[in-house]
Amino acid sequence: MFEYKLIKKDSKSMARRGTLTTPHGEIETPVFMPVGTQATVKAMTPEELKELGSQIILSNTYHLYLRPGHKLIEKAGGLHKFMNWDRPILTDSGGFQVFSLKDNRKITEEGVMFQSHIDGSRHFLSPEKAVEIQNSLGADIIMAFDECAPWPSEHDYVKKSLERTTRWAARCKEAHQNTDKQALFGIVQGGGYEDLRIQSAKELVELDFPGYSIGGLSVGEPKNIMYDMLEVTTPLLPENKPRYLMGVGSMDALVEGVMRGVDMFDCVLPTRTARMGTLITMKGKMNIMNAKYAEDLSPIEEGCTCYTCRNYSRAYLRHLFKAKEILASRLATWHNIHALHELMKRIRLAIEEERFMDFRKEFFEANDDYSAYK
Amino acid sequence: MFEYKLIKKDSKSMARRGTLTTPHGEIETPVFMPVGTQATVKAMTPEELKELGSQIILSNTYHLYLRPGHKLIEKAGGLHKFMNWDRPILTDSGGFQVFSLKDNRKITEEGVMFQSHIDGSRHFLSPEKAVEIQNSLGADIIMAFDECAPWPSEHDYVKKSLERTTRWAARCKEAHQNTDKQALFGIVQGGGYEDLRIQSAKELVELDFPGYSIGGLSVGEPKNIMYDMLEVTTPLLPENKPRYLMGVGSMDALVEGVMRGVDMFDCVLPTRTARMGTLITMKGKMNIMNAKYAEDLSPIEEGCTCYTCRNYSRAYLRHLFKAKEILASRLATWHNIHALHELMKRIRLAIEEERFMDFRKEFFEANDDYSAYK
């Protein structure tokens, strides 16, 4: 029930067009996955996400484990049913969140003891526990429990960390109960060190996962380092398995990631910044709170086909933000998710039509945010 | 373009079934009108309101005048276009909000000087100004500028106040520019005094408005006083004109208001309490935050056909509220507006089928919130 099918390879880059088959449907790749941290993509209904063309969403094991609890979600028939979403779901392992609780966690070979950000209660997350929780949630794609080393870290620390991540990945594979319904991905780590990325990728490929994530990037390092790390990693990953770059969702990084052979992306940025009034367009970002939009009766983005642009003006949207109306978050989120889905759609088409590198050039030329690339 | 047609009168009460024709469509009465204070019904899109069966919404002159300004809305083509709502709209006059600013306003015969709740800036609202703003907004039904006397007030104060409200109503009528497109309602005041309600109603009817509002109720007085005031007022209002009870929207008051001859109601309560987790059902209100719903996988209301009840459990909704998710407000608002529209639909049907008083009896018997009526 889980298969990656390669449809087309770009001749001038690592970009590739594929299809991912899961128990809850097919996914056209490369794909951007909106994030629904707490069993809801903030401000949106599942029906709206479908209308937007969301093919798969991500949800967070750490958050759902603490609240409302994975056992309740299992009792409700799994995460799909609990949140009313019948397309594919990917859950992370909780590792990233737990390791972010710097002062409130203790790492051992066995796992991580940590304190809840909600009520300070103490919990223990291990490879086995992370998989158990994800088995209860029932997502189509689940993640091995990994350590995401902070940026920057010493070579020695990162090496020990990635080696433990490999051992944990093996334990996750061992603990995984629903191999027929849920595909477990291993996560490549290695910080900003080429040799360690290579070591991590090779170790994980040896363990043979149905897909591979690339973690520990977009955590504060310069973008050129992220791209360098991708360039040494993706060639080592099997061609017949999907590759997922974790936590990356700026337009430039989506284009650059695809060029380096990535199939899947997720990021809270488009939805989070939407709620603060930052709108993503093909010409660059705009802050709708800016006074210059106060009487601007044009849509956010001329030619955009999203619900927001079809029905509302910048002046109205700015009014909603000034008045702190919930509809402001809804309309802005709608537009931003649409923007990234539209970008990925154009990327997929460009690969199919063998003009991805031309598309990339045109994209950066038209977008004021990325003058550094020009 | 504005006409009230009486379809059916109940033989055992003052309840009546009618149709109100406006430039933006017909309204079946009795009707509940959701409130969109700042040019949006909080948490909802216009399309959702249509799906819910909202026939007309209310918006607030005071708020829109201060932000974003009526001139911008006029430039955008009027409130309908600005907010993407093509069904009827009713605007209030701003009187209620201005008089609520107790320490920041000064009343003269000419009008009211007040300070904005947003930035403290000074403004002057008069009958002429209130109508000018409402002419810019372009709602189908607009309100005369009135004084809503606080509860309780002395007989002498209320008498002087209602007499000024009558003089202001005459000035509003004089100032009104769009009589062909916007129906101006006079507002009956008179506090909790029968003689003053009678005086106010008679004075306004003499001025001949296309509809009449009943104001100054549901402002802190016991409900039996509200009902007493309705009983002396509605018989004095012309049968061929609609009657609108301002700011009333609890289920019991809707039923009791209809029984006393009211056609139109509005209230922020269903939407405001929704955002705090209070859900309205035919059996009584429930607070979804209550721990007993933590693992309750049933819908809010068994048999309810709303989007929320069709797709989500109490446990999921409670989780969304605990996690402070925007979707919580959306789903709860959806249910509460549906509940009141459904109640009004049943009321309309009961009147048509000549069983309104039986319906009323059954309603109170089934609803735990209103044991006082049993």
Side-chain angles (χ1 to χ4, degrees), chain A residues 10-76:
Chain A
D10 185 43
S11 56
K12 295 174 187 156
S13 76
M14 292 279 291
R16 52 196 225 148
R17 177 74 185 82
T19 311
L20 199 55
T21 305
T22 80
H24 287 86
E26 289 208 341
I27 300 158
E28 302 297 327
T29 63
V31 65
F32 173 76
M33 307 181 283
V35 179
T37 302
Q38 305 187 107
T40 165
V41 173
K42 288 191 194 302
M44 305 298 284
T45 64
E47 288 78 9
E48 287 165 353
L49 293 169
K50 286 185 183 179
E51 195 179 325
L52 277 162
S54 298
Q55 305 184 72
I56 170 172
I57 60 171
L58 187 141
S59 201
N60 292 101
T61 288
Y62 167 83
H63 289 91
L64 297 179
Y65 161 70
L66 291 179
R67 185 175 59 194
H70 58 296
K71 286 295 173 194
L72 170 64
I73 293 176
E74 187 172 37
K75 190 180 148 196

Side-chain angles (χ1 to χ4, degrees), chain A residues 301-349:
Chain A
E301 189 170 9
E302 214 54 70
C304 176
T305 59
C306 87
Y307 169 74
T308 304
C309 287
R310 277 186 286 113
N311 294 293
Y312 304 94
S313 64
R314 293 171 173 181
Y316 181 67
L317 195 55
R318 183 173 182 278
H319 162 64
L320 294 180
F321 270 103
K322 295 288 274 185
K324 301 192 196 310
E325 286 286 351
I326 288 174
L327 189 58
S329 292
R330 293 185 59 185
L331 296 182
T333 302
W334 194 296
H335 175 82
N336 278 3
I337 293 180
H338 174 88
L340 294 199
H341 284 344
E342 180 65 24
L343 174 68
M344 299 314 282
K345 202 166 136 186
R346 293 184 192 183
I347 285 175
R348 290 194 297 269
L349 192 65

Side-chain angles (χ1 to χ4, degrees), chain A residues 29-190:
Chain A
T29 63
V31 65
F32 173 76
M33 307 181 283
V35 179
T37 302
Q38 305 187 107
T40 165
V41 173
K42 288 191 194 302
M44 305 298 284
T45 64
E47 288 78 9
E48 287 165 353
L49 293 169
K50 286 185 183 179
E51 195 179 325
L52 277 162
S54 298
Q55 305 184 72
I56 170 172
I57 60 171
L58 187 141
S59 201
N60 292 101
T61 288
Y62 167 83
H63 289 91
L64 297 179
Y65 161 70
L66 291 179
R67 185 175 59 194
H70 58 296
K71 286 295 173 194
L72 170 64
I73 293 176
E74 187 172 37
K75 190 180 148 196
L79 185 54
H80 289 88
K81 209 167 166 196
F82 185 60
M83 69 179 291
N84 184 34
W85 172 256
D86 58 10
R87 290 190 182 175
I89 299 176
L90 183 154
T91 46
D92 66 2
S93 67
F96 182 80
Q97 283 78 18
V98 167
F99 285 98
S100 303
L101 301 168
K102 276 184 194 140
D103 302 327
N104 295 301
R105 49 120 169 110
K106 190 172 174 291
I107 312 171
T108 61
E109 180 66 21
E110 185 54 23
V112 185
M113 182 73 80
F114 67 96
Q115 281 188 280
S116 159
H117 74 286
I118 300 171
D119 60 7
S121 56
R122 295 170 67 81
H123 301 266
F124 185 71
L125 212 52
S126 63
E128 291 76 15
K129 184 74 186 176
V131 167
E132 180 206 317
I133 298 168
Q134 292 184 89
N135 282 167
S136 291
L137 299 176
D140 302 77
I141 302 173
I142 67 177
M143 294 297 124
F145 189 64
D146 64 325
E147 179 182 354
C148 174
W151 175 269
S153 293
E154 293 297 319
H155 188 277
D156 186 52
Y157 179 90
V158 177
K159 185 172 164 67
K160 280 181 182 151
S161 165
L162 85 84
E163 286 169 355
R164 186 168 52 212
T165 288
T166 300
R167 290 191 297 276
W168 283 359
R171 283 166 58 189
C172 284
K173 206 182 162 189
E174 187 67 26
H176 185 25
Q177 296 298 311
N178 304 329
T179 48
D180 53 330
K181 289 183 290 188
Q182 300 182 280
L184 173 68
F185 282 26
I187 303 179
V188 178
Q189 291 289 351

